[in-house]
Amino acid sequence: MNIVLFGPPGAGKGTQAKEISENYHIPHISTGDILRDNVKNGTELGNKAKEYMDKGELVPDEVLIGIIKNRLIEPDCNNGYILDGYPRTINQADALDEILENLGKSLDVVLNIEVPDEELVTRLSGRRICSNCGANYHLKFSPPSKDGICDVCGGKLYQRDDDKEEVIKQRLETYNNQTAPLIGYYKEKDILVNIDGTGKVEDVFEDIRSVLDNL
Ligand code: ADP
Ligand code: ADP
Ligand code: ZN
């Protein structure tokens, strides 16, 4: 199953991708995670990307297209994958079509997770991440049992630089201007399915499951 998880920052793409990945045994490919790994390791790509990420802007298309091209030819993608955070521009979507066509594959579904803006701000500003294993928490909706410590591995939790209020605003604007037009793009291709992302994590996942099981 080749899935795109689409939606604004904070909609729950990473959270739902983890559920899908565990239940359907396909890899979760998050371009945000790949970029943050590069930033952490101080690679050339990471140093270049960081400038854009810190401002809440998109990293240039050619960088992302290169990343996705390399990732989708890995053998673990043979039985499908979940793309989280890619594509984010029409240009990236066109490039994805071409990459998939060359591999003899195509997208099965684009799940568009819908959450109103004020809820997105609440979700993003309360998000905390484990510096060791990457597990995702929310101060109010899914707090760790010990303050600042990961339940899974005991690692320290941190707040992403771009989850600070000023950058959140810019990211939502970037989404509305550059990424939201993809909704029409995929609607036209007849593979877009809207998912109400406002419920509990389990309830949103049940909606996604019923879509995937009927593909
Ligand atoms: P995205 O990958 O779309 O940016 P995340 O999956 O990281 O979004 O979720 C953003 C924040 O909201 C995280 O702190 C996460 O724990 C929380 N969250 C995700 N889904 C829900 C939900 N259904 N209800 C409440 N909080 C949620
Ligand atoms: P979100 O919580 O907004 O879904 P991500 O972790 O997906 O955040 O992305 C974080 C940042 O990484 C984005 O604000 C952007 O700067 C960069 N980024 C991630 N994916 C892409 C992409 N496909 N195209 C351009 N920039 C990207
Ligand atoms: Zn952890």
Side-chain angles (χ1 to χ4, degrees), residues 11-117:
K13 300 183 297 298
T15 303
Q16 296 300 329
K18 183 170 176 277
E19 296 292 325
I20 301 171
S21 178
E22 285 172 5
N23 281 275
Y24 292 84
H25 313 290
I26 48 178
H28 168 200
I29 302 174
S30 157
T31 46
D33 286 347
I34 294 171
L35 291 170
R36 277 185 294 278
D37 273 348
N38 275 276
V39 171
K40 193 165 144 192
N41 295 326
T43 68
E44 195 181 326
L45 191 156
N47 294 339
K48 188 174 167 195
K50 189 176 184 332
E51 290 172 37
Y52 298 93
M53 296 169 80
D54 284 349
K55 286 192 280 190
E57 291 171 5
L58 294 183
V59 176
D61 284 340
E62 67 268 19
V63 176
L64 271 297
I65 293 167
I67 289 175
I68 284 297
K69 214 177 210 165
N70 288 330
R71 184 62 186 88
L72 292 181
I73 56 173
E74 294 285 323
D76 66 334
C77 291
N78 280 343
N79 294 325
Y81 43 80
I82 309 147
L83 288 179
D84 160 12
Y86 185 100
R88 265 177 152 99
T89 63
I90 301 272
N91 216 350
Q92 291 182 19
D94 283 336
L96 177 62
D97 279 349
E98 199 183 311
I99 293 166
L100 292 179
E101 204 176 297
N102 287 333
L103 293 170
K105 292 180 183 170
S106 62
L107 288 179
D108 294 301
V109 69
V110 175
L111 299 168
N112 175 32
I113 308 182
E114 298 181 298
V115 172
D117 273 10

Side-chain angles (χ1 to χ4, degrees), residues 88 170-181:
R88 265 177 152 99
Q170 180 54 54
R171 283 161 66 207
L172 292 177
E173 212 173 298
T174 301
Y175 171 81
N176 286 325
N177 293 336
Q178 292 177 266
T179 305

